[in-house]
Amino acid sequence: MYSAMLRRSIVLLIGLNAVVASLGPRHQASFWDVQAKSASKAIGWLVENQLSDCSFAILATDDSFSADVTLRLVDLMVERGLLYQVSVMAFGGPSWEPLWRATNCNIYIVIAQDLLMLEDFLNADEDAWDWQGRYVFLSQSSKSDLQRIAVMYKLQKTVDVLFFVSGRTENELTLYTHQLYTEETIKFLNVWRDGEPVTLVDVFPDKLRDLRGRELRVFTFNHAPSVFSDVDQDGFLHNVSGIDIRVVQAIGRTLNFKPVFEHPGPARWGTILPNGTHTGMVGRISNDEAEMGVGNVFVTEVRARYITFSIPYDYERACFLTPSPRELPRWMALTFPFTLNVWLLLIVTVASLVVFVPLFGKVMLLEEFAGDLHTLSGTFLYIMALFCNQATILPSRTPMQVMAAFLIMSGFLTTVFYSSNLKAFMMVKVVEQPYTSIQRIVESDYEVGGFSDFWRAIFEESSNENVKKLGQKFFSFFPDITPHLTRVASRKVVLLENTQHLTYLQESYLTNRIGESPVRLMLEECINPFGIGALLRRNSPLKHNVDMAILRMREAGLVYKYFEEVLLKGHDEAHNIDNVEYNNEESVIGQGVIALTLEHLQGAFLVLGLGLFAALCVMLTEAATALCTCMDPLQPKA
């Protein structure tokens, strides 16, 4: 294995002489040589004790000190069979970029006699920088130079940074690290003599575990139930509460920082402008104007180009708040006991018996069919009487008795099933079919409203044709949703948002004291699930610590607990919206036994009215026919 590693190291040495030659002449017995030897030993100690199984990238500037240290480090890498690469930092040319990132432990050794030469490089925002890498600077710079370098853009977003600089003697080095989120920019760690530390310390401490009560700026805005707040004229938020606020406060307690909440401006989440810049909260955090941002922020690939997301602390679906299904008229209860197929079967059965019974009687020459039963109308009344348990004609011949017995039994069973089921339907409310699919919403006359044009891009990118068609019905409302809640209750609009937001609106604004609501949350078919996370500055050094805090909250179920508490509080406050009607029977429900009203019996009276109307129509038809017959001059006289 060692020989294999050695062969890899030798391969990387191809062209190394040319690289070192470009760094300038070596001074074998100079001060640089002693310092280079000490620096090389220090790196060797780190490799042996703390940086095993790491890959190394050596970045050197063009000076004598860098030349000496680079060759000694190359010797060290080859001797120990380490994976490494060497690169000369040519300023003013193309930006440096490592050849590979081979492991989860990438060490970058930056060698420069004067670190101020790297000022422009360290201040540039370049993707070539490994934000999770560990950086060791070897230099002859002074402490004041380190203080100046430590606040550069790249270093302020990189956690693990060490500075080895000259000590009081030739074989002595002083080790510093930089500071984050403090007034001090660098911190002394210890002194190294002959390549070994005088005292053992953790050279890569967790600098962000305790921010010592530092105030961090957090952007947010009102969006129930994620955020509730009052905004002053300076944009600061007061009396803040809500799910997302409690998540940030929990992270603040974990990392010991104090969040200061501010409003990001009227653009809220923000949109992408034609020139590619992002407005609103996403754009301002991308410009490092705040450390964090929350407010029901969906984790999307587009937003991730501008900022860094924490891991999601909640997962949501975008669903629809639709009007509740309306109650069907009570007279329709007459048809509810049987399905359409059963009704069709009964109609066919009655029609068949109306033809079959008189035909059967004529074939058998039965006397009881000599009267009204020889007509279709008389037979129809007889069959209807049988099915209603009201038959008055009793057959005298055995064949007809057998047939009548089974007709009476069939009619009895049908009547019992119908009447018992009818009682049940008359005692409860029967409503129309609710909206359970996006296709039904697309086919309806309802408009679809959402908080922002964010949804239009979701519609356009969807492979579902029904979701794409929602874009033709969509409108965005901003910032007040209250008027649109009334429109949903009035059966004019459907709202599209994440389920927690819609649940809060329904429970807090559109539910009465007995739990009835004129709207319904459609969960049967929703749009893509989204993760909800916190916005962080791009390449924020806080990401790892924030992610760990969120992970612990998720494992403990705290986010769901926060939502339940916010929902309960909103329901207790009983926000009321005017002009929202509730169809309820509170006085009736409390009695236990429901008295039948005219509304329940309107079906029976409707049947009676239809019968009287049909009889009147038949009477008028017969009278008109008789009158026409009397007035017909071609009709022969009796």
Side-chain angles (χ1 to χ4, degrees), residues 352-585:
S352 301
L353 289 174
V354 167
V355 176
F356 176 75
V357 169
L359 181 63
F360 182 79
K362 289 182 179 181
V363 171
M364 299 300 297
L365 301 176
L366 299 178
E367 296 178 357
E368 47 263 61
F369 287 91
D372 290 337
L373 290 183
H374 75 284
T375 64
L376 293 178
S377 59
T379 307
F380 174 74
L381 291 177
Y382 176 68
I383 299 300
M384 289 298 296
L386 286 175
F387 275 94
C388 295
N389 294 328
Q390 301 296 325
T392 57
I393 301 177
L394 298 177
S396 58
R397 299 288 298 276
T398 301
M400 191 61 191
Q401 288 175 347
V402 174
M403 184 181 68
F406 283 95
L407 286 176
I408 292 173
M409 185 180 301
S410 176
F412 172 76
L413 293 175
T414 304
T415 303
V416 170
F417 293 151
Y418 178 82
S419 60
S420 59
N421 213 9
L422 179 62
K423 291 177 184 178
F425 277 106
M426 293 183 70
M427 296 298 103
V428 298
K429 294 180 180 180
V430 181
V431 297
E432 62 187 4
Q433 288 294 322
Y435 283 85
T436 57
S437 67
I438 296 177
Q439 181 178 356
R440 285 199 61 194
I441 294 177
V442 171
E443 294 172 351
S444 70
D445 296 330
Y446 296 147
E447 293 181 280
V448 178
F451 258 112
S452 69
D453 288 334
F454 167 82
W455 298 112
R456 294 189 186 274
I458 300 298
F459 298 151
E460 293 173 0
E461 296 171 1
S462 175
S463 58
N464 188 318
E465 291 299 324
N466 289 322
V467 174
K468 285 185 177 180
K469 293 178 182 178
L470 288 175
Q472 303 172 5
K473 305 166 70 72
F474 182 79
F475 71 93
S476 59
F477 50 82
F478 186 81
D480 188 12
I481 194 176
T482 304
H484 302 285
L485 292 178
T486 306
R487 295 182 65 192
V488 176
S490 303
R491 314 186 72 81
K492 297 177 181 178
V493 167
V494 169
L495 295 185
L496 170 64
E497 275 298 326
N498 61 300
T499 53
Q500 283 188 354
H501 181 63
L502 296 179
T503 300
Y504 175 81
L505 294 176
Q506 180 183 17
E507 293 288 336
S508 301
Y509 291 89
L510 294 171
T511 301
N512 63 11
R513 65 184 181 87
I514 62 171
E516 290 184 323
S517 175
V519 298
R520 175 182 180 271
L521 184 58
M522 190 187 91
L523 299 175
E524 290 81 1
E525 184 178 9
C526 298
I527 301 179
N528 313 15
F530 295 93
I532 297 179
L535 299 173
L536 303 173
R537 291 188 302 154
R538 190 158 56 141
N539 303 312
S540 172
L542 286 177
K543 176 173 170 55
H544 173 73
N545 299 74
V546 170
D547 286 350
M548 293 303 297
I550 291 175
L551 186 61
R552 287 193 286 269
M553 278 190 288
R554 277 172 31 186
E555 291 173 346
L558 289 180
V559 178
Y560 180 75
K561 177 178 179 290
Y562 296 157
F563 173 64
E564 290 294 319
E565 291 175 352
V566 170
L567 192 63
L568 182 62
K569 180 181 178 181
H571 190 68
D572 291 341
E573 291 176 353
H575 306 288
N576 292 319
I577 297 181
D578 298 332
N579 304 322
V580 176
E581 298 181 358
Y582 298 89
N583 185 16
N584 59 71
E585 300 176 0

Side-chain angles (χ1 to χ4, degrees), residues 314-332:
D314 200 4
Y315 291 90
E316 277 280 25
R317 294 183 299 165
C319 296
F320 299 87
L321 192 66
T322 66
S324 292
R326 289 173 293 191
E327 183 181 3
L328 295 175
R330 292 285 185 176
W331 64 265
M332 294 184 68

Side-chain angles (χ1 to χ4, degrees), residues 48-282:
E48 181 177 352
N49 292 276
Q50 296 195 17
L51 303 179
S52 59
D53 299 326
C54 294
S55 63
F56 296 83
I58 303 173
L59 289 69
T61 57
D62 186 7
D63 55 68
S64 299
F65 175 76
S66 299
D68 284 347
V69 176
T70 299
L71 280 180
R72 291 182 181 277
L73 289 181
V74 169
D75 292 340
L76 173 68
M77 301 296 166
V78 174
E79 177 186 348
R80 303 200 178 189
L82 301 174
L83 189 62
Y84 75 98
Q85 57 183 307
V86 179
S87 177
V88 178
M89 303 182 68
F91 303 105
S95 61
W96 170 83
E97 186 171 355
L99 300 178
W100 76 82
R101 291 173 185 169
T103 66
N104 292 327
C105 175
N106 298 309
I107 307 299
Y108 300 88
I109 304 174
V110 183
I111 310 170
Q113 181 177 340
D114 183 5
L115 286 180
L116 294 181
M117 296 174 58
L118 306 177
E119 188 171 3
D120 292 337
F121 169 71
L122 295 177
N123 250 337
D125 180 11
E126 298 175 355
D127 293 335
W129 188 261
D130 184 0
W131 305 97
Q132 283 71 47
R134 291 178 169 182
Y135 291 82
V136 180
F137 289 83
L138 304 177
S139 175
Q140 296 280 312
S141 296
S142 64
K143 182 178 179 180
S144 60
D145 291 341
L146 296 186
Q147 292 173 334
R148 183 173 172 181
I149 289 294
V151 296
M152 298 298 163
Y153 178 84
K154 284 187 173 71
L155 298 189
Q156 281 297 299
K157 293 193 175 184
T158 306
V159 177
D160 295 324
V161 177
L162 296 178
F163 298 100
F164 279 103
V165 296
S166 301
R168 290 173 295 181
T169 62
E170 290 184 353
N171 64 339
E172 184 177 284
L173 297 175
T174 305
L175 179 62
Y176 293 92
T177 186
H178 76 331
Q179 295 284 76
L180 300 175
Y181 301 100
T182 65
E183 299 299 330
E184 298 179 359
T185 57
I186 61 173
K187 178 182 178 181
F188 169 79
L189 290 180
N190 64 357
V191 174
W192 292 54
R193 291 194 183 100
D194 296 324
E196 293 186 0
V198 175
T199 57
L200 292 179
V201 296
D202 184 4
V203 295
F204 293 114
D206 188 353
K207 303 174 183 178
L208 304 177
R209 181 176 56 187
D210 183 1
L211 299 184
R212 301 181 180 181
R214 185 176 181 86
E215 292 186 350
L216 296 185
R217 193 180 190 188
V218 179
F219 281 148
T220 190
F221 50 84
N222 287 338
H223 186 82
S226 301
V227 181
F228 305 90
S229 67
D230 299 324
V231 187
D232 62 23
Q233 59 182 3
D234 296 324
F236 291 97
L237 303 183
H238 307 280
N239 301 321
V240 288
S241 61
I243 301 172
D244 292 14
I245 298 300
R246 297 190 65 175
V247 168
V248 173
Q249 291 172 339
I251 297 173
R253 289 191 295 271
T254 302
L255 303 184
N256 191 19
F257 70 83
K258 179 182 178 182
V260 178
F261 297 99
E262 294 186 30
H263 199 284
R268 297 198 175 190
W269 297 281
T271 57
I272 299 177
L273 299 177
N275 62 2
T277 59
H278 207 298
T279 63
M281 181 165 62
V282 175

